[in-house]
């Protein structure tokens, strides 16, 4: 393992992967001269893919080939400087790892960095790499991007190859990436998404602000949606582009299969957590299908090896492994209905704006019971793109009360290039608004 004092604990293993000879001498390649880090969930030929757990590393051989996503960025001129720490088996959004240490959040050392792509986010946030590859199943790029004050994208489901990536739950697994500025975020997208037209001008037909989702956030309204709305109106003129919606009501009306996960008992619990019932039901459907697929992927290994897991994670992983098949087809119906509903809401060039997470990063080693309400609200927000398969970018909005804050923009499935262009075009105006607020 790399020296944590030197790299904020971000790296599992440092090495250099050079671009192939045919790429290394071409400065016109989109990623020429950039360095990147790789989450320890991607296969790299000659190295064991550790999946965040030493027992996994001990019981698996070195990879014989390299994941296509890694090969793509190498071919386009980038150089890798190592593999990064992650949460065990990608089963957490906190970023804490009892075995390899918790990467140090570069924005707030006493706070969690977010997971499960914790080391990748920290490597970028601390300036140790220009960009980094991660994965996002239930939030594992979006959450650490928000907590570490950087950009992170969960692309449309299926848009980037997950071959050579250890699966968590295939219905939701995506290859995402981090960057400190939107131009590099877009350049990496040009490579991984194989889009030739990322430089096209973009004007959204509408930016829908989900008012009920922003009410889940502990950050003041003028600090997140206020900055976004001001930026959109300044860049695109007038207020005709900005719309407001109560997303929870829309989802409840348009996704009838969610009724299977909404009862008096669940609604009472949602009220206790200050949550949105339909989005909480969406989160329940996502987690049920995720558990089912995780068990199919790794249940036999877990029950055979009985690995040493950290606190909190052990309970969640064994719960998944011991779970029974329940409402799986209904969960799949929810996925289909939500994608249709949000496609109708946004159209090809509409944007949905929500908080990435419901507040700033929690303190390190916070008791799981204390975080229960926060986690419930977080997964309600994260499940929107997760279940629909839509693309989402988390955008940093500077510092509020000494902690990083962010906003997320979501676009229709397949509109990743449009979204990346929009984020780049919009961000300079957002920066001006953030600087004005922080003075």
């Amino acid at each position: 393992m790399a020296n944590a004092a030197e790299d904020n604990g971000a790296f599992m293993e440092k090495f250099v992967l050079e671009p192939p000879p045919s790429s290394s001498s071409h400065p016109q390649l989109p990623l020429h001269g950039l360095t990147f880090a790789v989450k320890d969930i991607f296969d790299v030929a000659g190295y064991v893919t550790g999946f965040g757990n030493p027992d996994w590393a001990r019981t698996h051989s070195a990879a014989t080939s390299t994941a296509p996503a890694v090969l793509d960025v190498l071919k386009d001129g980038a150089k890798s400087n190592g593999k990064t720490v992650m949460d065990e088996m990608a089963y957490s959004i906190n970023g804490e790892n009892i075995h390899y240490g918790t990467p140090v959040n570069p924005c707030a050392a006493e706070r969690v960095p977010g997971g499960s792509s914790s080391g990748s986010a920290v490597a970028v946030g601390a300036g140790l790499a220009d960009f980094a590859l991660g994965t996002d199943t239930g939030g594992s790029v979006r959450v650490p991007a928000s907590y570490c004050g950087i950009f992170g994208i969960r692309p449309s489901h299926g848009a980037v190859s997950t071959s050579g990536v250890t699966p968590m739950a295939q219905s939701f697994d995506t290859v995402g990436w981090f960057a400190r500025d939107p131009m590099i975020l877009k350049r990496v997208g040009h490579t991984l998404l194989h889009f030739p037209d990322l430089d096209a001008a973009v004007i959204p037909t509408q930016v829908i602000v989900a008012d009920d989702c922003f009410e889940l956030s502990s950050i003041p309204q003028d600090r997140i949606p206020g900055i976004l709305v001001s930026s959109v109106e300044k860049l695109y003129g007038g207020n005709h582009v900005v719309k407001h919606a109560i997303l929870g009501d829309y989802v409840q009306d348009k996704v009838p299969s969610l009724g299977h996960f909404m009862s008096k008992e669940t609604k009472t619990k949602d009220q206790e957590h200050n949550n949105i019932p339909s989005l909480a039901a969406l989160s329940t459907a996502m987690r049920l299908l995720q558990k089912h697929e995780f068990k199919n992927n790794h249940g036999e290994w877990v029950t055979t090896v009985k690995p040493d897991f950290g606190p909190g994670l052990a309970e969640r992983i064994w719960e998944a492994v011991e779970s029974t098949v329940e409402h799986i087809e209904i969960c799949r119906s929810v996925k289909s209905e939500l994608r249709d509903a949000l496609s109708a809401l946004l159209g090809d060039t509409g944007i949905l704006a929500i908080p990435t997470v419901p507040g700033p990063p929690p303190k390190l080693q916070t008791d799981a019971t204390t975080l229960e309400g926060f986690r419930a609200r977080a997964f309600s927000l994260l499940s929107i793109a997760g279940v629909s398969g839509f693309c989402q970018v988390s955008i940093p909005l500077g510092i509020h009360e000494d902690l990083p804050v962010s906003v997320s923009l979501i676009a229709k499935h397949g509109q990743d290039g449009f979204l990346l262009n929009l984020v780049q075009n919009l961000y300079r105006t957002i920066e001006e608004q953030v600087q004005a607020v922080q003075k």
Side-chain angles (χ1 to χ4, degrees), residues 202-207 232 235-236 240-241 349-351 418 422 426:
V202 293
I203 299 176
T205 51
Q206 56 181 344
V207 175
V232 170
L235 186 62
Y236 298 111
H240 65 283
V241 175
T349 54
I351 293 292
F418 167 77
L422 180 71
L426 189 59

Side-chain angles (χ1 to χ4, degrees), residues 23-285:
S23 302
S24 58
S25 59
H26 291 281
Q28 72 272 23
L29 289 172
L31 305 181
H32 177 79
L34 298 181
T35 60
F36 73 100
V38 182
K39 182 178 182 178
D40 195 23
I41 198 171
F42 291 84
D43 286 350
V44 174
Y47 296 88
V48 174
T49 304
F51 206 24
N53 180 273
D55 288 320
W56 181 278
R58 175 179 58 81
T59 55
H60 289 76
S61 303
T64 57
S65 60
T66 298
V70 177
L71 290 176
D72 279 349
V73 294
L74 287 169
K75 288 175 184 176
D76 267 2
K79 179 171 71 174
S80 177
N81 52 9
K83 279 198 169 188
T84 56
V85 174
M86 60 174 286
D87 293 59
E88 297 176 69
M89 302 192 81
Y91 222 121
S92 175
I93 58 170
N94 273 1
E96 296 172 298
N97 190 308
I98 193 172
H99 306 289
Y100 300 121
T102 298
V104 179
N105 187 326
C107 289
E110 76 287 357
R111 303 282 175 144
V112 298
S116 63
S117 308
S118 52
S120 288
V122 167
V124 171
L128 304 170
D130 295 309
F131 69 94
L133 300 182
T135 57
D136 190 310
T137 302
S140 292
V141 165
R142 293 164 288 168
V143 173
S146 179
Y147 288 177
C148 292
I150 57 176
F151 292 86
I153 179 171
R154 173 197 168 91
S156 297
H157 186 255
V160 180
S161 172
T162 55
S163 178
V165 180
T166 306
M168 202 276 187
Q170 288 91 330
S171 290
F172 307 104
D173 289 346
T174 62
V175 169
W177 59 97
F178 303 92
R180 289 187 299 278
D181 71 74
M183 174 57 84
I184 292 179
L185 193 79
K186 188 176 85 165
R187 286 165 64 184
V188 177
H190 187 281
T191 293
L192 290 176
L193 296 164
H194 305 289
F195 278 4
D197 59 347
L198 283 180
D199 291 326
V202 293
I203 299 176
T205 51
Q206 56 181 344
V207 175
I208 300 175
V209 179
D211 289 333
D212 53 339
C213 292
F214 282 103
E215 290 175 5
L216 297 182
S217 174
S218 62
I219 308 300
Q221 295 287 301
D222 63 339
R223 192 60 184 79
I224 302 184
I227 284 177
L228 176 67
V229 168
S230 297
S231 301
V232 170
E233 291 178 349
K234 182 176 180 181
L235 186 62
Y236 298 111
N239 58 8
H240 65 283
V241 175
V242 176
K243 313 292 183 186
H244 293 267
I246 305 301
L247 186 65
D249 289 351
Y250 179 82
V251 168
Q252 183 168 343
D253 182 52
K254 300 295 183 181
V255 186
S257 293
L258 280 179
H260 292 274
F261 305 106
M262 299 175 70
S263 64
K264 289 182 179 179
E265 291 78 12
T266 59
K267 288 181 179 178
T268 299
K269 192 170 185 179
D270 295 337
Q271 289 175 345
E272 292 173 358
H273 291 159
N274 298 315
N275 211 343
I276 299 168
S278 62
L279 299 189
L282 198 63
S283 170
T284 298

Side-chain angles (χ1 to χ4, degrees), residues 255 257 328-339:
V255 186
S257 293
I328 298 305
E329 290 308 314
I330 297 173
C331 294
R332 294 194 173 109
S333 295
V334 168
K335 277 173 58 67
S336 176
E337 291 169 9
L338 182 68
R339 180 176 292 195

Side-chain angles (χ1 to χ4, degrees), residues 1-3 6-7 11-16 47 81-83 128:
M1 183 174 173
N3 188 327
E6 293 177 357
D7 65 15
F11 285 93
M12 272 291 302
E13 190 167 10
K14 284 192 170 182
F15 50 73
V16 175
Y47 296 88
N81 52 9
K83 279 198 169 188
L128 304 170

